[in-house]
Amino acid sequence: MGDVALGARSGHDGEEDRGRPVDATPGADDAVTSGSDPAAGAGDGAAPGEQQPPTGDQGAGGSTPAPRKPRSFWKELPILIGIALVLALLIKTFLVQAFSIPSDSMQNTLQEGDRVLVDKLTPWFGSEPERGEVIVFHDPSEWLAGEPTPEPNAVQKVLSWIGLMPSAEEKDLIKRVIGVGGDTVECNKTGPLKVNGKALNEPYVYPGNTPCTDDDSGGQFKVKVPKGYVWVMGDHRQNSRDSRYNQDDKFHGMVPVKDVVGRAIVKAWPINRWGTLPVPDTFDQPGLDQQSAAAAPLSVAPQAIALTGVLPVAVWRRKRKS
């Protein structure tokens, strides 16, 4: 009511002005009064000394309202956990996932029980596995037939669901790519292993093992890798059931590129074994690569994009949790 009276006041219409001399001061009629002017208060219909009711911006005692109390930590905790779980699922699905090494077939590069982080973003950019990369792939054709499936406990199931541990039902394997589409891979006697006629110097092979195995079960071979497939072998050559020993399956020992989950890029656990998993120099020798130069940048650029994609998400998660 007071604000309405102040807005409608003209300086000439009020019963209090009758019988009083008009102020002749120039500009008095056009003066703007503020809400704190005592004279203005009297003209607003309030008697002298009468206190105006508090406005919407003031408390009962004329003071500003108390600031809203922040939500308690225990009320925010479920929200933060929910956000973290959603982000973990997105990272697991599109960026990076953790996998456990179930056997010794990749010694000494990887030990049983190691945890590796697998880049799942690179394939989204059309890049295919390259020679020398350590990859995780789905079982292409019953390679793990007869292998026992461990029964995870409740905690392992939760960790598997959010991507901190692999799922026991996924039936995944981890090996090193030796040949890609168009390559000829061969081995005679105990080696050396050859790709497109070039002998590989393989320092990553388990100490005491030979590059090939002199047997009639698959240790001796010469294969042409079809487009869309890769030929894989374990670093522990005498303890790895890889492409060599699955040549009688429907893919003749090859792994379809569509079954590749991603490239293992980091040994993350245990912490004393932390380290990257680079491509060995032997796969960079001249004359080995028969692929077009235009396809080569795809094997590098998406990996950099993967890292730049993961880091901001990780930082944002830390800020939300702090």
Side-chain angles (χ1 to χ4, degrees):
M1 294 296 292
D3 290 339
V4 175
L6 180 61
R9 182 180 179 187
S10 67
H12 295 287
D13 297 334
E15 212 173 319
E16 67 274 18
D17 292 326
R18 296 179 183 176
R20 285 197 310 188
V22 177
D23 189 354
T25 305
D29 294 339
D30 299 328
V32 179
T33 58
S34 67
S36 59
D37 188 353
D44 288 345
E50 183 178 349
Q51 188 174 12
Q52 290 286 334
T55 63
D57 295 335
Q58 293 180 333
S63 61
T64 58
R68 183 180 297 176
K69 292 183 179 180
R71 191 178 299 170
S72 69
F73 170 77
W74 295 111
K75 289 183 179 180
E76 285 194 347
L77 184 60
I79 299 175
L80 296 177
I81 293 176
I83 293 173
L85 288 176
V86 170
L87 289 174
L89 285 173
L90 291 175
I91 291 173
K92 169 189 173 181
T93 303
F94 300 106
L95 299 178
V96 175
Q97 186 176 2
F99 285 83
S100 176
I101 307 305
S103 69
D104 294 330
S105 68
M106 283 296 293
Q107 283 182 314
N108 273 336
T109 303
L110 298 171
Q111 303 286 352
E112 182 178 357
D114 283 355
R115 300 287 193 272
V116 296
L117 298 182
V118 174
D119 165 26
K120 300 178 69 174
L121 179 64
T122 300
W124 286 82
F125 290 85
S127 179
E128 296 187 355
E130 297 288 335
R131 300 184 206 93
E133 294 180 349
V134 177
I135 62 168
V136 171
F137 56 95
H138 300 311
D139 188 344
S141 184
E142 301 297 326
W143 287 20
L144 294 175
E147 294 289 335
T149 301
E151 182 63 29
N153 57 37
V155 175
Q156 290 173 329
K157 288 180 180 179
V158 172
L159 295 177
S160 173
W161 184 70
I162 64 177
L164 297 181
M165 286 188 66
S167 171
E169 291 80 18
E170 286 185 0
K171 297 288 187 181
D172 297 322
L173 299 96
I174 185 167
K175 305 291 181 186
R176 188 182 299 277
V177 177
I178 301 299
V180 297
D183 286 346
T184 297
V185 185
E186 59 184 308
C187 209
N188 187 28
K189 302 295 183 180
T190 57
L193 180 64
K194 294 181 180 180
V195 177
N196 299 326
K198 299 289 184 180
L200 300 181
N201 176 27
E202 301 183 284
Y204 46 81
V205 170
Y206 185 73
N209 279 194
T210 55
C212 310
T213 303
D214 190 5
D215 60 37
D216 298 327
S217 303
Q220 309 293 293
F221 60 90
K222 183 174 183 179
V223 296
K224 178 82 171 182
V225 184
K227 295 293 184 183
Y229 293 83
V230 292
W231 177 272
V232 298
M233 297 173 67
D235 289 354
H236 196 163
R237 293 290 161 80
Q238 272 75 63
N239 189 25
S240 176
R241 185 170 176 81
D242 46 41
S243 289
R244 298 169 295 169
Y245 298 101
N246 289 283
Q247 295 184 62
D248 56 349
D249 69 13
K250 63 180 179 179
F251 298 121
H252 306 290
M254 311 294 173
V255 177
V257 170
K258 65 180 180 62
D259 288 337
V260 175
V261 177
R263 175 188 172 186
I265 53 177
V266 172
K267 291 179 290 185
W269 189 261
I271 195 65
N272 63 326
R273 286 184 48 75
W274 190 96
T276 59
L277 295 167
V279 174
D281 293 339
T282 188
F283 292 95
D284 295 329
Q285 59 178 298
L288 183 66
D289 194 355
Q290 295 181 343
Q291 297 182 1
S292 63
L298 287 176
S299 65
V300 178
Q303 294 166 18
I305 296 173
L307 291 177
T308 57
V310 171
L311 289 177
V313 173
V315 171
W316 187 72
R317 286 179 63 186
R318 291 181 65 87
K319 287 184 178 179
R320 290 290 302 170
K321 290 181 179 180
S322 61

